[in-house]
Amino acid sequence: QVQLVESGGGVVQAGDSLRLSCAASRLSFNFYAMGWFRQAPGKEREFVAAISRSGGSTGYADSVKGRFTISRDGAKKMVYLQMNSLNPEATAVFYCAAASRVSTEVVPAGGGDYDYWGQGTQVTVSS
């Protein structure tokens, strides 16, 4: 089994920053594109950010572009999501995901492109 474990969520005020982390195990990390998704109460899970296998390409949802930054550390098998200037829209459970069968510079943006998912970490942003 592939295991992805998110951490770093919490309760913050609007304008604050958080960094989410995702630890991968039982995974050939460099062969997977990695992504972050979020799911707000009553809504479908939506794409937030993704990074290619190589780390050389990234993609972001329009709603977070310029404020969020995704990165990965191959040696540590970790992926991060730095979130700045948070607003209440970001209140959601954030999920880490891994996508197999992708080329080195592919940045998947659809939930169906991902094969493995973490348990999620709650982010709550108060106004």
Side-chain angles (χ1 to χ4, degrees):
Q1 294 181 335
V2 174
Q3 295 181 338
L4 303 173
V5 180
E6 303 95 335
S7 62
V11 180
V12 299
Q13 295 183 341
D16 285 353
S17 297
L18 277 176
R19 189 181 74 161
L20 305 182
S21 299
C22 174
S25 64
R26 301 181 182 180
L27 179 68
S28 297
F29 188 72
N30 292 340
F31 292 110
Y32 292 81
M34 303 296 295
W36 287 96
F37 292 74
R38 66 186 179 189
Q39 186 169 19
K43 296 185 177 181
E44 297 293 322
R45 191 172 301 182
E46 66 177 357
F47 170 76
V48 175
I51 188 166
S52 64
R53 289 169 53 187
S54 69
S57 299
T58 58
Y60 300 91
D62 289 341
S63 60
V64 305
K65 192 172 184 178
R67 299 184 297 111
F68 289 13
T69 303
I70 188 171
S71 61
R72 66 191 295 161
D73 186 328
K76 297 180 179 179
K77 294 186 176 181
M78 298 284 290
V79 61
Y80 306 98
L81 184 67
Q82 177 67 45
M83 304 186 294
N84 298 328
S85 301
L86 286 166
N87 56 49
E89 180 184 335
T91 295
V93 177
F94 281 71
Y95 296 90
C96 176
S100 64
R101 301 181 181 181
V102 294
S103 298
T104 56
E105 299 303 326
V106 171
V107 184
D113 297 324
Y114 291 83
D115 305 295
Y116 308 103
W117 298 81
Q119 85 288 346
T121 185
Q122 177 70 48
V123 173
T124 301
V125 184
S126 62
S127 60

